[in-house]
Amino acid sequence: MQKMKNLAYIAVMLLVLSSCGEYQKVLNKGTVEEQYKMAVKMYEAQKYGKALRLFEKITPSYRGKPQMERIQFMVSQSNFNEKNYGLAGYYFNRFTGNYPKSSKREEAAFLSALSYYKAAPSFSLDPTDTNKALEAFQKFMDNYPDSDKIEEANKYHAELRAKLEKKSFEIAKTYYKTADYDSRNYKAAIVAFDNLLEDYLGTKYKEEALYYRLKAAHDFAIKSTQRRKAERIKEAVKAYDKLKRNFPESKFMEESNEMLATLNKEQEQLAKS
């Protein structure tokens, strides 16, 4: 029994070595047609890394030829399966532009967006791929409203938008929290919170954003020079009014009322001076 197992193992190893030898031979010395056939064979065998090496070699020879449509899709899919998501997104997007009448155009459009989605880092890092994914999913939904992937595309789009919304909120908070070290960040925080509220209507961060915007405006006014203080107090009072108008029962109302009292006191002192 053990002898049979050993013979089977040896047979498998010989087959693997033979296959590897054939691949290397075609890769290094095969004709373009042989390399194309081997690339497709590797792709169908789910050996995407090997397929990509061959596709890279033969692409110049097939540019402009009928086979190029299939090659470009397989290159895109191979990069996706190898988790080269940034490249996959780029190649799938190119495919949709190069082959507008392809039966695989809808699939490529969705996979381009999904690739950028998978390439997108956490909300705190560079949002480049997140923005690309958002744009790609929006374009997909606009172009294929009846696609069976539309629900999935909507889900990913909402998730990505929430990621950017959170990033926008955290950036604004960071400006406020670092303003003690750089007073210019009070103004930056106010602008950032205004942008958040304008870009993401109905944001779940609205109450907290209005509260922090008030704090930034309050602190900015209190720490201002006499020449600018009156103007900035008025802006801070407006921030208070906006918070109270939108969230009259806000959990931040007690502290906000204290800030308003301080602003009113400062305003009275200015009127006397």
Side-chain angles (χ1 to χ4, degrees):
M1 189 68 178
Q2 185 62 41
K3 186 176 181 181
M4 291 290 290
K5 287 183 179 179
N6 290 340
L7 288 172
Y9 175 77
I10 291 169
V12 170
M13 290 304 297
L14 287 172
L15 185 62
V16 170
L17 289 171
S18 174
S19 175
C20 290
E22 182 189 3
Y23 171 80
Q24 288 298 332
K25 182 180 177 181
V26 173
L27 176 66
N28 296 321
K29 297 181 180 179
T31 65
V32 172
E33 186 178 353
E34 288 171 338
Q35 289 174 340
Y36 172 75
K37 289 179 179 177
M38 180 61 73
V40 173
K41 181 180 177 181
M42 292 295 104
Y43 176 83
E44 290 176 347
Q46 299 182 9
K47 297 177 180 178
Y48 301 111
K50 287 185 174 182
L52 282 169
R53 290 179 67 190
L54 286 160
F55 284 134
E56 187 178 349
K57 293 193 74 169
I58 65 174
T59 292
S61 300
Y62 281 98
R63 195 165 281 126
K65 295 181 179 179
Q67 296 94 329
M68 195 58 206
E69 179 181 340
R70 188 183 182 197
I71 289 172
Q72 193 168 338
F73 188 87
M74 287 190 290
V75 167
S76 306
Q77 187 70 64
S78 294
N79 274 295
F80 182 87
N81 291 333
E82 285 290 288
K83 299 184 180 180
N84 302 325
Y85 295 123
L87 280 174
Y90 169 76
Y91 283 123
F92 276 125
N93 186 52
R94 276 188 62 187
F95 181 91
T96 62
N98 290 342
Y99 304 102
K101 295 181 180 180
S102 172
S103 61
K104 286 188 171 290
R105 187 170 187 261
E106 180 181 332
E107 182 182 357
F110 179 80
L111 287 172
S112 176
L114 184 61
S115 297
Y116 286 128
Y117 167 85
K118 288 180 175 292
S122 69
F123 79 90
S124 62
L125 301 176
D126 184 358
T128 301
D129 284 320
T130 302
N131 286 322
K132 285 181 182 178
L134 262 176
E135 184 180 344
F137 276 123
Q138 187 61 60
K139 188 176 179 181
F140 176 83
M141 292 186 289
D142 291 342
N143 290 338
Y144 304 101
D146 299 320
S147 171
D148 59 2
K149 292 286 187 182
I150 202 71
E151 187 176 339
E152 193 175 352
N154 267 304
K155 183 193 77 170
Y156 286 132
H157 187 275
E159 185 181 326
L160 290 162
R161 187 171 169 81
K163 183 187 288 190
L164 289 181
E165 182 182 340
K166 181 173 177 62
K167 182 178 180 68
S168 181
F169 178 66
E170 293 298 335
I171 286 173
K173 273 178 68 175
T174 298
Y175 277 130
Y176 172 71
K177 289 179 178 180
T178 57
D180 279 344
Y181 309 103
D182 185 346
S183 60
R184 292 173 298 181
N185 283 353
Y186 285 123
K187 182 65 176 175
I190 292 167
V191 170
F193 281 121
D194 283 343
N195 289 340
L196 167 70
L197 295 166
E198 184 177 341
D199 293 342
Y200 300 97
L201 298 176
T203 174
K204 65 180 181 179
Y205 301 109
K206 185 172 182 178
E207 180 180 355
E208 197 171 352
L210 288 172
Y211 162 70
Y212 273 107
R213 192 198 181 286
L214 167 59
K215 281 174 72 72
H218 167 272
D219 295 358
F220 194 38
I222 298 301
K223 296 178 181 180
S224 293
T225 61
Q226 293 296 103
R227 185 173 63 87
R228 305 297 300 273
K229 187 170 283 190
E231 171 195 350
R232 288 173 180 168
I233 286 174
K234 286 181 182 178
E235 290 301 313
V237 171
K238 285 181 183 177
Y240 169 87
D241 290 339
K242 191 169 184 179
L243 172 62
K244 187 172 184 179
R245 185 168 62 252
N246 283 275
F247 298 98
E249 304 298 325
S250 172
K251 62 184 179 181
F252 302 115
M253 219 56 239
E254 184 177 349
E255 186 181 348
S256 297
N257 286 334
E258 291 173 3
M259 284 189 277
L260 178 65
T262 302
L263 292 167
N264 287 336
K265 186 175 180 181
E266 289 283 332
Q267 206 166 33
E268 289 171 6
Q269 291 177 349
L270 282 173
K272 292 177 183 177
S273 60

